[in-house]
Amino acid sequence: MKRLHALAAAATFLIVSSSAWAAPTTVILEVPGMTCPTCPITIKKALMKEQGVSSVAVRYEKKELVVSFDNAKTTPAKIMQSTASVGFPSQVAK
Ligand SMILES: [Cu+2]
């Protein structure tokens, strides 16, 4: 029983440390189609519905989005698909 308990504790530790690795990742996306100030609102709405996306900041003057996400739950590719699905194809800024 004691051994089992130690195993359970070790498993809990692993879960905790793996979620610590899933620290928010940030990606900057270029969205050339953002041509008026309401465009980013549409995009932001779509992105905030995506699993794992924690925040979306808009740099309208640069036509960029700064997206924070949990890389255990989503990927930049999925985020780009999501912006494209509401009419705004995007790409990772270089
Ligand atoms: Cu617009």
Side-chain angles (χ1 to χ4, degrees), residues 5-90:
H5 197 89
L7 272 178
T12 308
F13 175 76
L14 276 177
I15 290 160
V16 169
S17 54
S18 72
S19 65
W21 294 331
T25 306
T26 299
V27 68
I28 297 173
L29 296 178
E30 290 171 354
V31 192
M34 283 202 295
T35 52
C36 82
T38 57
C39 291
I41 299 170
T42 310
I43 303 168
K44 206 169 165 170
K45 247 191 210 165
L47 288 184
M48 292 309 290
K49 275 191 250 164
E50 284 294 306
Q51 256 231 330
V53 173
S54 51
S55 78
V56 180
V58 179
R59 293 177 181 165
Y60 174 65
E61 61 302 334
K62 294 177 104 180
K63 296 191 164 56
E64 284 177 355
L65 296 175
V66 183
V67 184
S68 296
F69 62 98
D70 180 341
N71 64 9
K73 290 184 183 152
T74 190
T75 61
K78 278 190 198 161
I79 294 168
M80 287 187 278
Q81 257 173 34
S82 172
T83 67
S85 76
V86 289
F88 297 95
S90 59

